[in-house]
Amino acid sequence: MPRLPFLTAYYRRGHHGPARLNTPRTDSTNPPGKWAAATNRAKGVVSTLSTEDKVALATGIGWQEGPCVGNIAAIPSINFPGLCLQDGPGGVRFADLISVFPAGINAAATFNRNLIRDRALALGAEFKAKGVNVALAPGMNMVRSPRAGRNWEMFGTDPYLAGEGSFETVMGLQANGLQACAKHFINNEQETNRQSSSSNVDDRTTHEIYLHPFLKAVQAGVVSVMCSYNQVDETWACENDHILNGLLKTELGFQGYVTTDWWVNMEKYKTLAANQGLDMVMPGASFYGGNVSYFGPALIDAVNSGQVPAPAWTTWPPEFSQLSIWNPANGQHVDVRGDHGNLIRKIGAASTVLLKNSRGALPLGDGVKSLALVGSDAGPNPDGPNNCADRSCNIGILGIGWGSGTANFTYLVDPLSAITAKARSIGANVASSLSDYDLVAARNASMGKDAALVFITSDSGEGYLTVEGNPGDRNNLYAWHGGDALVNTVAGVNNNTIVVVHAVGAIIMEAWIDHPNVTAVPSRSRSWELPRRHPLGDVNPSGRLPYTIAKSPSDYSADIGTNHDVDYTEGLYLDYRWFDKQNISPRFPFGYGLSYTTFAYSGLAINKLGGDDGYEAPTGPGSSLSGCNVRCKQYWPVDGTEIPQLYLAPPDSSNSPPKQLRGFDSVFIPRYASSPVRMCLSRYSFAVWNAANQRWEIPRGTYGVWIGASSRDGKLSGSIEI
């Protein structure tokens, strides 16, 4: 019998957990002491429930049969009001008067744990205020192929970065008293054939790359995990004993409940998936438009016939009394945004990655008195930002991708409106051409201007919607709507062309990036967050790329699989690890991003630490093994934030990638000042998964330590002998 979802488990420390590497935040929403109390309370409740009640708690009531995308019926005998499960990572889906938060990939680009946590705290507060019990977030699949449709919902290409994003997001969401749902377990890295294909991944790669973000979610105390649509090694994820009972519930020590994604396929076990680790079926029926469930009456019959054992006990969350008074109806038409707009703008600015800035083009100086804004992305959608279902169009400013992870904008400020208002205040003139294809109009608007801003986009989303021929996954990595031609047209007549990229991920820029008149490229800013200086604004960019931007699509190690078998043949060599192994020069490396100031690194000191040194892992449990101290200094009269990154280069005997991210921090440094930075490494930082022995092992040898501002920028180096 599945675990009863409203009585879900709380955090227990996994025995293979990594340690926190820098900023000291080791709190958890679920201290171990809560387990015993939750278990004892659950035993008493379960003993009063009939089999029918227990099954009702594991079976959704049906699509559009309740106020939320997923609903569990009330059980009056125990004063249980039911459960509301609601999308998604970007905001409260289908609700009004809510915020649409920066996407997961934006949060990752900040490389700032505090901002990622703050985003989740605010997002969780809105879910709670709208009466939601289970927030179907965060997404923590890896960005394997740069074309994958839902990459914008995730935390990038590196498992360490994704794991930190996972931990902080779960912590922030659940601090509000609701349940987070980590998704999609596991290897759901593309939309193409997601409901028929099999992701085939070797055991070491699974552990070191794809399982790690879920480990961090378990360490944060995540209550729910959503199993994915795809098969894993030829068995559907939601009836896969190895990944659910073996990896998730046994190895990671997850004691919460597993729910299906909506209308998943199951062929072998179906109802008996309850024995394979599945705990809840959503939204109820086994297929869209149907009225028969894998659980429901079928599960009652299976329990009564002895095919599925009835549970002896389960766990009761301490927050149950708080959850029981929530009612989704009470949250309708209530403005829950508070002051979250300020946080959204802060994250938008901190996630802006400045890729190029020649001749000091940015920030725009006081002498700029005439501007041209070119491209449809500079303006609004004439029919409103929510005109297309689940944001399934790319018309006007691109604020978010499409699919179930979206939400309705209460408002969306477009660049043309924002810049025009600011320009008027200083007597500057703004011309515009909002067509992507009218190159004559673009040329005319840009000629003779002090600066021309060209806005280009690339969009993607979930596979149940197709936009401009892109079926969720992108068809290619080039700018949409002829963006390359638009940039070259403007650059041909304006020697201060600034290209603003609003994109869901990497795009190929080779057609114009080296053009001498393309002076600056700020990327990933959602809505209007282009860095500008007084009197046009004051934001010093600090975002860093959470993926590599290649010179050619063929430079990447993985692409979208189009056959039934999606073989992860690249193994551990994902993104920058592949570029390093093959000695491929990227256009812009992972972790890269410019600032208006210049930072210098000095004084690397590597120390072995004892058990009582006071330093712990930055997220989750763990003690430190080695500490790395550096000092960052900046030399410009502008305050700025630097993102020092720590990479380990393992010995050849480990058969590992040349170097791997194992630490980072976000350090604010006032003008002309310096700041110490400390990053710590645990045993897990050095460990590799031995598939033959089924355990973590630390290869002996000399480990290189690289400290720098990107995966290709080793400003300081040292070594550690293990």
Side-chain angles (χ1 to χ4, degrees):
M1 179 74 179
R3 298 172 180 175
L4 303 190
F6 78 102
L7 309 173
T8 79
Y10 267 70
Y11 176 66
R12 178 172 67 84
R13 293 173 185 262
H15 62 282
H16 290 310
R20 180 168 190 157
L21 300 189
N22 48 14
T23 311
R25 176 188 274 170
T26 57
D27 49 347
S28 170
T29 54
N30 301 305
K34 286 189 176 182
W35 277 112
T39 299
N40 289 334
R41 188 175 185 185
K43 288 179 179 178
V45 173
V46 170
S47 66
T48 70
L49 296 177
S50 66
T51 298
E52 288 75 13
D53 284 343
K54 294 173 185 176
V55 169
L57 287 166
T59 310
I61 66 174
W63 180 246
Q64 296 182 333
E65 296 296 329
C68 303
V69 298
N71 303 272
I72 292 292
I75 306 293
S77 64
I78 57 171
N79 296 319
F80 174 64
L83 281 183
C84 161
L85 295 79
Q86 193 70 12
D87 297 314
V92 185
R93 188 184 182 198
F94 297 138
D96 61 0
L97 301 175
I98 53 90
S99 303
V100 179
F101 287 83
I105 201 69
N106 285 74
T110 70
F111 278 71
N112 187 314
R113 294 180 179 86
N114 292 330
L115 286 179
I116 297 172
R117 174 79 68 95
D118 290 344
R119 169 182 176 266
L121 284 167
L123 178 61
E126 296 198 8
F127 271 101
K128 178 177 178 179
K130 286 292 187 181
V132 175
N133 305 114
V134 185
L136 299 175
M140 55 189 68
N141 297 108
M142 297 302 301
V143 174
R144 176 177 177 260
S145 165
R147 292 200 294 121
R150 301 186 76 174
N151 285 350
W152 58 271
E153 297 183 50
M154 311 306 168
F155 296 118
T157 60
D158 181 83
Y160 180 80
L161 175 61
E164 299 303 283
S166 165
F167 183 95
E168 297 294 352
T169 302
V170 171
M171 289 291 299
L173 288 171
Q174 296 192 166
N176 290 280
L178 53 80
Q179 301 176 8
C181 181
K183 61 184 190 182
H184 312 82
F185 195 75
I186 189 171
N187 300 133
N188 185 184
E189 271 79 40
Q190 64 179 55
E191 293 302 286
T192 300
N193 299 331
R194 67 175 182 174
Q195 291 178 294
S196 61
S197 63
S198 176
S199 299
N200 306 319
V201 193
D202 70 85
D203 194 37
R204 181 179 174 186
T205 298
T206 294
H207 280 80
E208 295 187 26
I209 303 292
Y210 298 96
L211 191 61
H212 179 78
F214 290 94
L215 166 62
K216 299 303 294 185
V218 172
Q219 288 187 334
V222 72
V223 172
S224 176
V225 169
M226 181 187 293
C227 52
S228 54
Y229 285 117
N230 54 285
Q231 298 176 60
V232 177
D233 294 326
E234 306 299 338
T235 299
W236 296 106
C238 290
E239 56 177 0
N240 193 313
D241 178 75
H242 171 64
I243 68 170
L244 298 183
N245 283 330
L247 295 180
L248 182 62
K249 293 184 176 181
T250 300
E251 190 172 318
L252 300 190
F254 174 63
Q255 294 191 25
Y257 65 95
V258 175
T259 181
T260 66
D261 205 335
W262 271 228
W263 305 292
V264 299
N265 287 324
M266 291 190 285
E267 294 178 349
K268 183 176 182 180
Y269 295 101
K270 298 183 179 179
T271 300
L272 300 186
N275 294 329
Q276 309 303 111
L278 180 64
D279 302 304
M280 178 191 285
V281 168
M282 277 290 155
S286 57
F287 60 92
Y288 181 77
N291 56 13
V292 177
S293 176
Y294 293 121
F295 281 8
L299 183 55
I300 294 173
D301 291 343
V303 172
N304 290 337
S305 66
Q307 293 177 288
V308 174
W313 61 273
T314 187
T315 51
W316 181 294
E319 289 81 359
F320 177 74
S321 60
Q322 184 180 24
L323 290 175
S324 68
I325 64 173
W326 293 2
N327 184 343
N330 293 338
Q332 293 179 3
H333 311 302
V334 174
D335 192 334
V336 299
R337 292 172 293 166
D339 63 352
H340 298 160
N342 293 329
L343 174 64
I344 289 169
R345 285 186 287 273
K346 185 176 182 180
I347 296 173
S351 66
T352 297
V353 183
L354 185 58
L355 298 176
K356 180 178 181 179
N357 195 25
S358 61
R359 306 202 303 265
L362 290 176
L364 295 174
D366 296 347
V368 174
K369 295 299 182 181
S370 60
L371 292 169
L373 271 65
V374 176
S376 65
D377 185 59
N381 182 331
D383 297 316
N386 304 317
N387 179 59
C388 302
D390 289 335
R391 314 296 76 78
S392 57
C393 59
N394 186 5
I395 302 171
I397 179 68
L398 178 62
I400 197 168
W402 72 79
S404 64
T406 62
N408 292 330
F409 289 100
T410 303
Y411 68 92
L412 181 60
V413 178
D414 60 88
L416 180 60
S417 298
I419 294 176
T420 299
K422 288 183 176 291
R424 286 173 181 165
S425 68
I426 60 165
N429 297 315
V430 176
S432 64
S433 170
L434 299 183
S435 170
D436 294 320
Y437 302 104
D438 189 341
L439 301 185
V440 173
R443 184 182 300 110
N444 292 339
S446 304
M447 291 179 63
K449 303 300 189 297
D450 294 330
L453 282 63
V454 185
F455 290 77
I456 61 175
T457 67
S458 184
D459 200 2
S460 71
E462 197 168 354
Y464 67 90
L465 293 165
T466 295
V467 177
E468 299 185 32
N470 294 265
D473 300 327
R474 288 187 283 172
N475 291 335
N476 57 59
L477 295 179
Y478 297 95
W480 284 28
H481 304 162
D484 289 350
L486 189 66
V487 170
N488 281 319
T489 295
V490 173
V493 297
N494 190 295
N495 66 2
N496 190 17
T497 297
I498 299 166
V499 183
V500 183
V501 181
H502 286 164
V504 291
I507 66 169
I508 303 300
M509 305 177 178
E510 297 308 296
W512 46 263
I513 190 66
D514 287 328
H515 194 296
N517 288 346
V518 174
T519 55
V521 183
S523 177
R524 186 156 302 291
S525 47
R526 67 160 251 157
S527 186
W528 175 237
E529 299 293 351
L530 179 66
R532 293 162 290 138
R533 183 176 63 188
H534 181 79
L536 293 180
D538 187 11
V539 173
N540 191 350
S542 62
R544 299 294 184 265
L545 287 175
Y547 48 74
T548 297
I549 295 179
K551 294 181 179 180
S552 168
S554 63
D555 289 344
Y556 292 104
S557 62
D559 198 4
I560 299 298
T562 57
N563 299 320
H564 168 77
D565 288 308
V566 180
D567 299 323
Y568 288 41
T569 54
E570 73 281 358
L572 301 172
Y573 297 95
L574 189 65
D575 197 69
Y576 70 88
R577 302 166 181 226
W578 172 258
F579 283 75
D580 289 349
K581 180 178 186 290
Q582 299 296 324
N583 196 27
I584 299 171
S585 297
R587 170 52 64 179
F588 297 109
F590 174 90
Y592 174 86
L594 299 174
S595 170
Y596 296 154
T597 188
T598 299
F599 297 95
Y601 290 51
S602 64
L604 173 62
I606 303 173
N607 311 108
K608 285 195 172 182
L609 305 175
D612 58 352
D613 50 57
Y615 293 99
E616 295 181 326
T619 56
S623 60
S624 297
L625 176 64
S626 297
C628 300
N629 298 297
V630 299
R631 179 167 288 275
C632 293
K633 180 178 177 60
Q634 69 125 317
Y635 292 92
W636 286 78
V638 180
D639 296 343
T641 297
E642 176 64 335
I643 311 292
Q645 301 158 43
L646 186 158
Y647 294 85
L648 273 185
D652 292 341
S653 62
S654 70
N655 294 317
S656 297
K659 58 179 175 292
Q660 302 175 87
L661 182 70
R662 288 294 184 262
F664 64 82
D665 209 344
S666 176
V667 185
F668 175 78
I669 304 176
R671 59 181 184 171
Y672 299 127
S674 64
S675 176
V677 180
R678 184 175 183 83
M679 293 182 277
C680 295
L681 298 166
S682 75
R683 288 170 178 81
Y684 181 83
S685 305
F686 299 85
V688 302
W689 180 254
N690 186 316
N693 296 334
Q694 287 293 289
R695 67 182 186 186
W696 292 100
E697 296 178 350
I698 299 178
R700 300 294 176 179
T702 301
Y703 289 77
V705 178
W706 291 57
I707 307 287
S710 79
S711 64
R712 289 289 177 105
D713 179 36
K715 295 182 182 297
L716 300 174
S717 63
S719 63
I720 298 175
E721 195 73 27
I722 300 295

